[in-house]
Amino acid sequence: MNAQELRDKTPDQLREELTSLKKAQFNLRFQAATGQLENPAQMRVARRNAARVLTILNEKAANAATE
């Protein structure tokens, strides 16, 4: 998922995406705590994807406020 794909989505779709990413991030943390996580780099990717979605949401909110 790249930033351009996210910018094409509506804020509601972005919020749904953020919810699913946060759930995935929780599951990865749980796997890491129990020693079942095979690829620790997945945690970093999940965290960055969630941050990317939040950034796009904030950009959209800022643009809506100035219009």
Side-chain angles (χ1 to χ4, degrees), residues 16-55:
E16 290 175 13
E17 183 75 26
L18 182 61
T19 302
S20 67
L21 288 169
K22 290 287 187 177
K23 286 180 183 178
Q25 192 175 2
F26 172 79
N27 289 333
L28 288 171
R29 278 198 317 266
F30 195 84
Q31 288 176 8
T34 59
Q36 296 175 349
L37 186 62
E38 294 180 9
N39 186 2
Q42 290 175 333
M43 293 178 68
R44 180 179 181 183
V45 171
R47 189 172 59 245
R48 286 186 177 194
N49 284 337
R52 190 173 292 122
V53 170
L54 279 172
T55 300

Side-chain angles (χ1 to χ4, degrees), residues 11 15 54-67:
R15 285 186 203 97
L54 279 172
T55 300
I56 302 298
L57 270 172
N58 287 333
E59 286 176 359
K60 286 184 180 276
N63 286 338
T66 59
E67 289 179 358

